[in-house]
């Protein structure tokens, strides 16, 4: 029974490592394609407006009132995380904020193909092609 558990853990660890490398490849590809947001760190459009609202009125108020017509909660959660990471790294909420926003954005876009691979792995029959 212990051997079965160890085999499962080893297989699970290999899958996690495989998914991590897929994520890193996707992230590296995105960074190589357009690194401008890290070389010229600025905040775009709503990010500045929503961050200003969050700094003035608080994050809860911003989440409830950021956009009238539709919800932008995921965008705001990512901005909140970027602001916290900037604070942890530098002690300032805004010093590294454009960089952290960019890295979180790239990470989200790298997560999409990684997640698609994980979800469709059995449909793609990748294991069958390895043994041929």
């Amino acid at each position: 029974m212990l051997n079965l558990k160890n085999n499962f853990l080893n297989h699970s660890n290999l899958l996690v490592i495989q998914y991590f490398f897929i994520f890193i490849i996707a992230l590296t590809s995105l960074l190589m394609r357009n690194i401008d947001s890290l070389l010229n760190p600025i905040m775009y459009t709503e990010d500045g407006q929503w961050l200003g609202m969050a700094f003035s009125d608080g994050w809860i108020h911003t989440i409830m009132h950021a956009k009238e017509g539709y919800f932008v909660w995921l965008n705001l959660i990512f901005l909140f995380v970027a602001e916290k990471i900037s604070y942890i790294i530098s002690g300032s909420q805004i010093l590294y904020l454009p960089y952290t926003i960019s890295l979180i954005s790239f990470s989200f876009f790298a997560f999409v193909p990684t997640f698609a691979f994980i979800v469709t792995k059995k449909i793609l029959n990748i294991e069958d092609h390895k043994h041929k």
Side-chain angles (χ1 to χ4, degrees), residues 60-110:
I60 301 296
H61 177 270
T62 303
I63 286 173
M64 301 305 284
H65 301 288
K67 196 77 167 170
E68 293 281 329
Y70 53 92
F71 297 118
V72 289
W73 294 348
L74 187 59
N75 303 44
L76 294 171
I77 290 169
F78 286 157
L79 286 176
F80 175 80
V81 170
E83 182 254 327
K84 295 303 175 196
I85 292 172
S86 176
Y87 183 77
I88 290 168
I89 292 171
S90 67
S92 170
Q93 294 174 312
I94 60 172
L95 185 61
Y96 288 112
L97 193 55
Y99 295 106
T100 57
I101 290 171
S102 179
L103 290 175
I104 287 174
S105 175
F106 281 130
S107 296
F108 174 76
F109 288 122

Side-chain angles (χ1 to χ4, degrees), residues 50-62:
W50 293 339
L51 286 164
M53 183 187 294
F55 292 150
S56 299
D57 302 327
W59 282 102
I60 301 296
H61 177 270
T62 303

Side-chain angles (χ1 to χ4, degrees), residues 5-6 10 18-19 29 42 50 52-54 63 73 91-92 99-100 102 110 126 132:
K5 182 179 178 183
N6 287 338
N10 287 338
Q18 180 185 27
Y19 300 152
S29 299
I42 60 172
W50 293 339
M53 183 187 294
I63 286 173
W73 294 348
S92 170
Y99 295 106
T100 57
S102 179
I126 291 172
K132 289 183 180 179

Side-chain angles (χ1 to χ4, degrees), residues 119-126:
V119 170
T120 61
K121 186 176 180 180
K122 290 183 180 178
I123 298 169
L124 296 173
N125 291 324
I126 291 172

